[in-house]
Structures are given as structure tokens and as C-alpha cells.
Amino acid sequence: MSFSLKGRTAFITGASRGIGLEIAKALAKRGANVAVAAKSAEPHPKLPGTIHTAVEEVNQIGEETGSGAKGLAIQLDVRDAKAVEDAIEQTVGKFGHLDYAVNNASAINMKSTVEASPKALDLMLSINARGTWLVSRYALPHLLNSNGANRNPHILTLGPPLTHDTFTTNSSTGCWPEQFAATKSAYTLAKGGMALVSLGLSAELQGKVGVNSLWPYTLIGTSAMKVVSPNADVEEKRWRSPEIVGEAAARMMEEDGRTFNGQWIVDELWLRRKHGFTDEQIRQYSLGGPDVKMEDLALDLWISKSLQEDVAKARRGD
């Protein structure tokens, strides 16, 4: 059974650009109102997009598609508990209810442990793990009301899959040591913390709110990735558009949250196995064009060898 998103309300952190913006746009196409919550109220010298331009895109989608979707721009630092609470209340005051909370905001610093500073660790923990907890905490009273009104509430977190094969030190099935050597200890702790918040919430809220995590199979070509990556003009040919994550996220919201809960979703697998996406449809998200072989795409972080085998089977139709 697929639930309609029309008339629902989503609160998305880090939605001024990149993956957060694409999730906002995918929800808007389906008729959901979106609170765009991010720090970027003024143009960045290197990164395009602000909360205001994102809302303009949401409103334009609502008008052009006839979905009726509206946007709300909220400047927010997810480290500030009072600001998070006020932003949630502002969203409910504007749209009357809250149905989806999307934890997308994240900080990244993959310096080695001996080079990393405690300040960098504190920043990542406060935005990634603590920010996810704060947004979920203050969204929950309204999401539980949404459950009572049969509006199918969800919490979605952009966090890595917490499976045995992700975190095992068995190098034949997991992604250790290469991936963990790349992500280092501080970022592993902070990003893994987002997934742990999702895991705990899914157990607390089963049968009431669908709580799940979503992760991209390949590297995603956000504007930030293009800025921080050496030789981005060449490397981005092996990346995918953030639209694939937006499409997967929106389809997750259409699931029945009472039973669709505690899932670790990987975008390509989800779109292929659950929604029947073909090679042609998946290739449309390749920034290098449809001629780039899928096996040549750059894998995202924490993609275990067993997960790679599963994706290979899905590509063969198994």
C-alpha cells in the first residue's frame, strides 16, 4: 500500500542545497509542504543555494505541477536546542501539522586521529548525532499527533547501514579496513551516531512512527563534493546526482510507517528491488552520462563487500 504525500508537511535539515534540497523537491512534486531548515540564509562564496532559493524551487514545483506544495525558509543551527524547538513550532504554526522529519544536516572532517582536533570532533558530534537527536526529539510530539490522525508519520536519517557486514573486521564480507581507514575515527563516530539515533528511535516508536535510514550506494555529486574533491571535473563522472537519493527518500515516505521501520535502505537497491527501476532509469542519475559503466562508479562510504555483491545480483535481476 502506498500512502499519498499530498498535503503532508516535512521538516528537512540541511535542505538549502545538495541531497536535502533534492529530497525537498521530490516531496514537493508529490504535494508535500516543506520547511527548509539550514544555516545558509545568505549566498555562500563557493556553494550555490540558500534557504530562500530552495523555497523558491519548492514553490515553483507546487505551482508548475499543481501539487499545491509550499515551502517555508527557516535559518537554523541544529546545535541550538531552543532554535530547533522554535523551528519545529514555526513549521507547525505555518502548516498546521508535521508529518515527516528528515535528518540530513551533517558535518564532515576525515583527518586522521593524530591530526584531528577535539574542536572538530565536537562540531561533528553536535551537528550529526546530537542534531539528529534534537530534531527528532522536538518533532516527536507532532509526529505522534500525525499518527493519531492517520497521516503516516516518518523520521528519515541520512545515516550508514548498521549491519554486521558494515562493521565486521572480516575483510572478505565487510568494508574494513579500507573504508574505515579513509573515514578515520572521529567522522566514523559522528556519522555512525546518526544511525544509532535512528536505531534507538525505531525501537521506541515501532507501530507509531516509521523510523529509517537511507544511504547512497555511490558518491553523490553535491556542490560541496565538487568544492572539496581534488580533480572534481574528472572524478564527478563516476558520481551520481543527488536526485537518486531524493527519489528513494520520497518513496520511503510513501510506505506504511507502522510496519516500515528500522530499515537500512541503500538507494539503488531500494529503487531496483522495491520499485522495479531498470538499468536505463538508474543510469539517468549518472553525472558521467549513461555510457559510464555502473561497475566503474565510485562507491560511497561504508559499502561492504557483501552489499556490493547484493547490488550486483540486483543488477542481474536476482
Side-chain angles (χ1 to χ4, degrees), residues 1-23:
M1 179 179 180
S2 179
F3 282 76
S4 172
L5 275 59
K6 188 171 180 60
R8 304 296 192 263
T9 300
F11 182 92
I12 308 176
T13 63
S16 59
R17 58 177 70 96
I19 288 174
L21 175 58
E22 290 303 328
I23 293 175

Side-chain angles (χ1 to χ4, degrees), residues 192-216:
M194 294 179 72
L196 283 172
V197 172
S198 182
L199 181 64
L201 286 170
S202 68
E204 284 186 57
L205 299 168
Q206 55 184 329
K208 298 176 182 177
V209 178
V211 184
N212 302 285
S213 294
L214 173 62
W215 199 245

Side-chain angles (χ1 to χ4, degrees), residues 106-144:
S106 182
I108 180 170
N109 185 321
M110 295 196 293
K111 286 187 177 181
S112 69
T113 303
V114 74
E115 296 174 321
S117 67
K119 184 178 179 179
L121 173 62
D122 289 343
L123 176 66
M124 286 192 288
L125 287 173
S126 62
I127 292 174
N128 298 9
R130 184 173 181 272
T132 294
W133 187 88
L134 285 175
V135 170
S136 302
R137 160 65 181 86
Y138 288 110
L140 262 178
H142 302 289
L143 297 177
L144 291 170

